[in-house]
Amino acid sequence: MVLATTAFIHPQESSADGFTGADFARWSIESQDSYIQTSMTMAGVVFTRTEPQIATCINDWYFSGDRPEARNETIRGTITRHLHHHPAGVILAMILEECPER
């Protein structure tokens, strides 16, 4: 439900010119979590086709375990430390740091 609501409320902001971590930081925690989860899911889908070992790492790092809110908090904190960058770029950088096996 949160994902559908976020897609309705923020349908194109994430791809708009000038979208930054500062914009992301103004969203509710629920919307931020939805953006993070959607970004991780899409990265996993893309990497499944291009770099399967990274897709496996994303699954192990982000989707496995019992503390998804802690992972989102870490990602959220990194995005807010890089307020002038696009959140998707920050998330991708975190993925490539966490999953370097290419």
Side-chain angles (χ1 to χ4, degrees), residues 1-14 27-28 31:
M1 179 66 171
V2 172
L3 178 60
T5 302
T6 301
F8 180 75
I9 294 170
H10 306 290
Q12 297 163 340
E13 283 187 49
S14 62
W27 291 0
S28 70
S31 293

Side-chain angles (χ1 to χ4, degrees), residues 40-67:
M40 296 301 284
T41 300
M42 292 311 299
V45 168
V46 170
F47 281 121
T48 295
R49 306 280 281 157
T50 61
E51 303 271 351
Q53 66 280 13
I54 294 178
T56 299
C57 179
I58 290 170
N59 187 58
D60 293 344
W61 170 57
Y62 183 78
F63 292 104
S64 297
D66 59 351
R67 300 262 328 188

